[in-house]
Amino acid sequence: MSDNQEPILAKEESVVGIPTPLLKLISWQWWLLVSINIFFLIGGQAASVLLGRFYYDQGGNSKWMATLVQTAAFPILYIPLLLLPSSSSSESSSEPSCSLKYVVLIYVLLGVIIAGDNMLYSVGLLYLSASTYSLICSTQLAFNAVFSYFINAQKFTALILNSVVLLSFSAALIALNDDADTPSGVSRSKYIVGFVCTLAASALYSLLLSLMQFSFEKILKRETFSVVLEMQIYTSLVATCVSVIGLFASGEWKTLHGEMVGYHKGQASYVLTLVGTAVTWQVCSVGVVGLIFLVTSLFSNVISTLSLAVTPLAALVVFRDKMSGVKIMAMLIALWGFASYVYQNYIDDLKVRRARKQAQAGRVIQAEVLV
């Protein structure tokens, strides 16, 4: 987090006229929310990638189905949304609220971007090995640095740059550790398609994160955490509709029955794989949007890249994959980069709190002088 982007718990002085309940959180409560969202992102992404690879390995071949399950489980998010206090009850901004047509436009635009991004990732995961896929995905940090600079006025400190470099290097180490460059049966032309699609997906994903942060800060200006779930629900609804249209327009829906019958682990496993993938992607998405709302899009992207180092550990437990020395080294480097970024956020938090205390002390002295 840069000097000009304060933790949300300390933004009370910088966001004029918007008294947000989240601003009233004390330090440990804010860090608890951040930790929960980090767990959602890392755990959800690791599980969803493993299930997605399992789907392809066991006979699944529908790119649109792999795209659809990434957003189809959004209705389960209505449960926590109903448990949260209504955002309208806490809105006391002196500024007029964002009109409905702009809110709908934001959700539709982001939903279409999400659908396209999910499709690109599905193609990449189908045609590339896990190593190449992880290596290309790590480039999203570089893309995010550019988009955050132009869209979110994000600046870099030495610690942030150190974190970005270390996490990218960690993902690259894991990628280079895999001997197989392409899955069996994948031609050179399909490999190129997978490479280009994954690279484009990484860029589009970074753009999506920056646009979400911009929407939260400049357009929606909502005060409760329910805005995170609302964003995820309605953009996922749009993305799901786009994916369903693509599934039927491409004709892949005709092959789904045969795909389920011929699934190596059986029809029940086929259904459970798709359902599990859908649920874990939603958990991951909540973590992504939550970190954007609580911190910044760059922080969300850094944690997303960290999960690329965590996924091999999950594969070690689930699939009994070999854990080499290179993978262990990559994990340690990733943890170092993660700690570097968290420490930068801690430093910024202390600076803002000291500035706030000094401002409050100045107001007290001024009041005493006036009396």
Side-chain angles (χ1 to χ4, degrees), residues 224-305:
T224 67
F225 196 72
S226 63
V227 69
V228 176
L229 295 177
E230 290 174 357
M231 172 74 79
Q232 181 59 29
I233 287 172
Y234 298 121
T235 56
S236 295
L237 171 62
V238 174
T240 300
C241 292
V242 173
S243 300
V244 170
I245 293 173
L247 180 64
F248 281 92
S250 65
E252 286 189 1
W253 66 274
K254 299 177 182 178
T255 66
L256 294 181
H257 178 71
E259 183 177 282
M260 181 173 63
V261 173
Y263 201 66
H264 298 167
K265 294 295 184 179
Q267 299 183 27
S269 177
Y270 178 83
V271 174
L272 290 176
T273 300
L274 294 179
V275 172
T277 305
V279 173
T280 52
W281 271 121
Q282 287 303 305
V283 172
C284 172
S285 297
V286 169
V288 169
V289 181
L291 290 178
I292 296 172
F293 186 65
L294 289 169
V295 195
T296 64
S297 64
L298 181 59
F299 183 80
S300 180
N301 215 345
V302 168
I303 301 303
S304 180
T305 304

Side-chain angles (χ1 to χ4, degrees), residues 30 38 48 58 64 104 107 138 177 209 221 264 335 348:
W30 183 82
I38 290 175
S48 58
Q58 298 302 317
W64 278 110
V104 173
Y107 289 156
S138 66
N177 186 53
L209 293 183
K221 296 181 179 179
H264 298 167
L335 292 175
D348 292 339

Side-chain angles (χ1 to χ4, degrees), residues 52-68:
R53 187 69 263 168
F54 182 80
Y55 167 75
Y56 286 134
D57 288 344
Q58 298 302 317
N61 196 47
S62 174
K63 296 182 290 293
W64 278 110
M65 177 57 70
T67 301
L68 176 62

Side-chain angles (χ1 to χ4, degrees), residues 15 146 181 192 199 201 215 223 249 255 294 301 339 361:
V15 185
V146 176
D181 290 330
I192 295 175
L199 185 64
S215 300
E223 285 81 2
T255 66
L294 289 169
N301 215 345

Side-chain angles (χ1 to χ4, degrees), residues 46 50 309-323 327:
L50 291 177
V310 174
T311 302
L313 283 181
L316 174 68
V317 176
V318 177
F319 299 123
R320 299 294 189 269
D321 286 359
K322 181 180 178 181
M323 191 64 180
K327 289 183 179 180

Side-chain angles (χ1 to χ4, degrees), residues 12-29:
E12 187 173 7
E13 301 297 329
S14 60
V15 185
V16 179
I18 305 179
T20 304
L22 281 176
L23 303 179
K24 300 177 182 178
L25 293 175
I26 60 177
S27 182
W28 73 266
Q29 292 174 323

Side-chain angles (χ1 to χ4, degrees), residues 49 53 69 92 112 130 132 174 178 180 207 222 279 287 296 302 330 346 356:
V49 169
R53 187 69 263 168
V69 296
S92 57
V112 172
T132 306
I174 294 174
D178 193 345
L207 175 62
R222 301 286 294 279
V279 173
T296 64
V302 168
Y346 173 73
R356 180 187 297 179

